[in-house]
Amino acid sequence: MRLKHCINYQDFRELARRRLPGPIFNYIDGAADDETTYRRNTSAFEECDLVPNVLTGVEHVDLSVNVLGQKLELPFYCSPTALQRLFHHEGERAVAHAAQKFGTMFGVSSLGTVSLEEISSNFSFPQVYQFYFHKDRGLNMAMLERAKSAGVRIMMLTVDSITGGNRERDLRTGFSIPLRLTLEGLVQFAIKPKWAVDYLMHEKFRLPQLERDVVMAGGTTSISDYFTTMLDPSMNWRDVAEMVKQWDDKFCLKGIMSVNDAKRAIDIGCSGIVVSNHGGRQLDGSRSSFDQLAEIVDAVGDRIEVLFDGGVHRGTHALKALSLGAKAVGLGRYYLFPLAAAGRAGVERALGLMRAEIERDMKLMGCTSIAQLSRSNLRFRNSFRREQATAQCH
Ligand SMILES: Cc1cc2nc3c(=O)[nH]c(=O)nc-3n(C[C@H](O)[C@H](O)[C@H](O)COP(=O)(O)O)c2cc1C
């Protein structure tokens, strides 16, 4: 199987599975506890049907959207994800090239492996910086300043990771940074020597967002130590309100799932929220983001920009979330598997396929702009959801 044979998410996932050592594949593919939220994130789309209109004249379709003060050519973006150079030596550089080519935004993670300065000086797409909140308030302020000086406009604070999720696949393989593998995990690396050669032949693995201020060098501190010792479990609304004030530009909370929290985000001056459960990697049993989207859009959609991520594998998935009122849709594993499978070429191919699917689906729905998508073209099979959607249509 080669890149040119990949025509959908499952193909990229399979190619990544063949290329990556098991512990790394499972770090991407895995989620918390029994992975029920992870599975539901995608299966929830199947309970929502599209009702197309025809004969509307759809030669030209405009896929652009305005989000957080930026015009995106596409209604989807690349969500921030950690450790990308572990998946492919091009890492964030590959994703940044693809985001630039397709005119969309990309979130560089606090646990990114290429510096936010490098990305912002080499690319002009709207850059998002994904932030984790540290116990050391001085350090938080210094990191905000650093992002500001690099020209970042959109700050995205992840609020669903107050402690690490229970990712049992990683416990079994021993996946951690630095790698401390179990015997089974080591065997998995030994049978994928090409990955190891690639990894060793390229520049040393780094976490440049953190290494300046956080002591992680020397292999003594792992990412889980970082989460437990450096991040602040007492983080609360007052702290974040202070950060929003300090940032003084677009500020977004990633990982909002309740209406109450969405309202509080407005109260403290946030410009956006991402309805997200971290791809099912944190609280298993949490409602899927698609199931929860309508409730949040109804409560706050006219006062704050509501973005969405979780389980999007198809153009129609994105279309359904946009029809419910999401301003843009974040992709996670959808671009990570192509990255792992083939670097920049893989991510570009995947984003191109998603763009083509959405464009085709828009035409088949009878819509020429994202603003024309609405709940009047959705039907839910479950009666409670049906009532919610109908109430919104009238
Ligand atoms: C391997 C991996 C690493 C991730 N790293 C981060 C991260 O560093 N910060 C963050 O806010 N979210 C992170 N996420 C969550 C994504 O931003 C996004 O919310 C999630 O992947 C969406 O679900 P999907 O993968 O089903 O599209 C990560 C997700 C994956 C799969």
Side-chain angles (χ1 to χ4, degrees):
M1 186 182 205
R2 306 188 37 196
L3 180 62
K4 65 179 183 191
H5 302 126
C6 292
I7 54 171
N8 65 30
Y9 175 84
Q10 294 304 342
D11 296 338
F12 287 115
R13 179 176 176 277
E14 177 55 22
L15 194 54
R17 193 186 65 76
R18 291 183 193 188
R19 186 183 168 270
L20 289 174
I24 298 183
F25 173 79
N26 281 304
Y27 170 70
I28 302 174
D29 195 48
D33 293 2
D34 298 315
E35 305 187 348
T36 48
T37 296
Y38 174 30
R39 287 190 296 278
R40 176 69 192 173
N41 273 350
T42 301
S43 66
F45 293 111
E46 287 171 24
E47 284 172 33
C48 172
D49 296 319
L50 294 165
V51 181
N53 289 324
V54 295
L55 303 178
T56 57
V58 290
E59 290 154 278
H60 303 293
V61 176
D62 177 9
L63 295 183
S64 68
V65 290
N66 287 300
V67 189
L68 300 169
Q70 307 290 330
K71 181 174 181 199
L72 310 184
E73 294 306 320
L74 298 170
F76 59 85
Y77 63 93
C78 298
S79 292
T81 56
L83 311 183
Q84 291 181 15
R85 282 204 302 111
L86 204 55
F87 314 149
H88 188 280
H89 65 264
E90 294 169 1
E92 287 82 355
R93 292 175 190 123
V95 185
H97 274 289
Q100 177 103 333
K101 177 171 172 181
F102 286 88
T104 192
M105 68 181 187
F106 166 40
V108 175
S109 169
S110 280
L111 294 171
T113 53
V114 172
S115 78
L116 67 116
E117 286 88 355
E118 180 187 322
I119 300 290
S120 57
S121 58
N122 291 333
F123 299 93
S124 59
F125 61 82
Q127 191 183 336
V128 176
Y129 180 46
Q130 179 271 320
F131 197 84
Y132 284 122
F133 193 88
H134 299 88
K135 285 180 185 155
D136 180 344
R137 307 297 155 102
L139 173 58
N140 290 332
M141 291 308 161
M143 290 176 86
L144 286 192
E145 282 309 315
R146 183 176 161 190
K148 186 81 72 207
S149 324
V152 172
R153 300 288 312 276
I154 306 169
M155 183 56 61
M156 193 176 266
L157 176 71
T158 299
V159 288
D160 58 15
S161 304
I162 205 78
T163 185
N166 178 39
R167 305 186 191 155
E168 293 185 355
R169 295 202 216 183
D170 296 346
L171 295 179
R172 283 189 211 292
T173 62
F175 179 90
S176 70
I177 296 293
L179 292 165
R180 285 191 215 108
L181 298 174
T182 58
L183 187 60
E184 190 197 330
L186 279 170
V187 171
Q188 296 290 320
F189 273 80
I191 59 177
K192 297 285 164 63
K194 183 170 179 329
W195 177 89
V197 169
D198 253 10
Y199 180 73
L200 295 171
M201 296 295 287
H202 292 90
E203 92 196 61
K204 192 170 172 287
F205 183 84
R206 294 169 51 216
L207 294 172
Q209 268 59 266
L210 300 178
E211 66 193 6
R212 197 190 287 180
D213 306 294
V214 178
V215 186
M216 291 187 78
T220 50
T221 307
S222 73
I223 284 197
S224 60
D225 294 336
Y226 164 73
F227 272 92
T228 46
T229 59
M230 301 294 295
L231 299 188
D232 190 351
S234 75
M235 171 174 71
N236 60 41
W237 288 100
R238 272 193 316 280
D239 298 323
V240 180
E242 194 52 41
M243 245 184 110
V244 174
K245 228 190 296 157
Q246 174 84 13
W247 180 248
D248 194 27
D249 208 333
K250 301 292 179 189
F251 199 105
C252 195
L253 298 184
K254 175 173 182 284
I256 293 292
M257 287 295 287
S258 79
V259 165
N260 211 25
D261 286 350
K263 289 182 177 163
R264 295 192 82 164
I266 299 172
D267 294 341
I268 62 165
C270 290
S271 353
I273 52 174
V274 187
V275 176
S276 168
N277 51 40
H278 217 106
R281 296 162 76 80
Q282 290 296 107
L283 178 66
D284 192 36
S286 164
R287 202 168 189 212
S288 85
S289 21
F290 184 65
D291 285 325
Q292 189 60 359
L293 180 60
E295 197 174 311
I296 293 186
V297 170
D298 290 347
V300 300
D302 54 345
R303 287 178 289 154
I304 193 165
E305 294 190 51
V306 179
L307 284 70
F308 162 89
D309 76 28
V312 173
H313 299 169
R314 282 287 185 194
T316 51
H317 298 164
L319 221 73
K320 289 173 186 178
L322 295 162
S323 301
L324 274 188
K327 291 276 178 261
V329 170
L331 307 172
R333 296 175 184 88
Y334 180 86
Y335 77 84
L336 285 180
F337 287 131
L339 170 67
R344 175 178 169 183
V347 184
E348 289 186 356
R349 184 171 172 86
L351 296 191
L353 286 168
M354 179 59 82
R355 178 174 66 185
E357 280 192 21
I358 296 183
E359 190 173 341
R360 183 186 312 113
D361 298 334
M362 291 276 290
K363 288 183 176 173
L364 292 171
M365 286 295 292
C367 295
T368 53
S369 72
I370 299 297
Q372 288 173 4
L373 294 170
S374 81
R375 291 190 201 179
S376 60
N377 294 95
L378 299 181
R379 294 292 180 277
F380 286 91
R381 298 179 190 189
N382 166 306
S383 60
F384 171 68
R385 298 299 306 280
R386 198 159 51 230
E387 280 154 28
Q388 259 190 329
T390 319
Q392 179 70 15
C393 287
H394 294 308

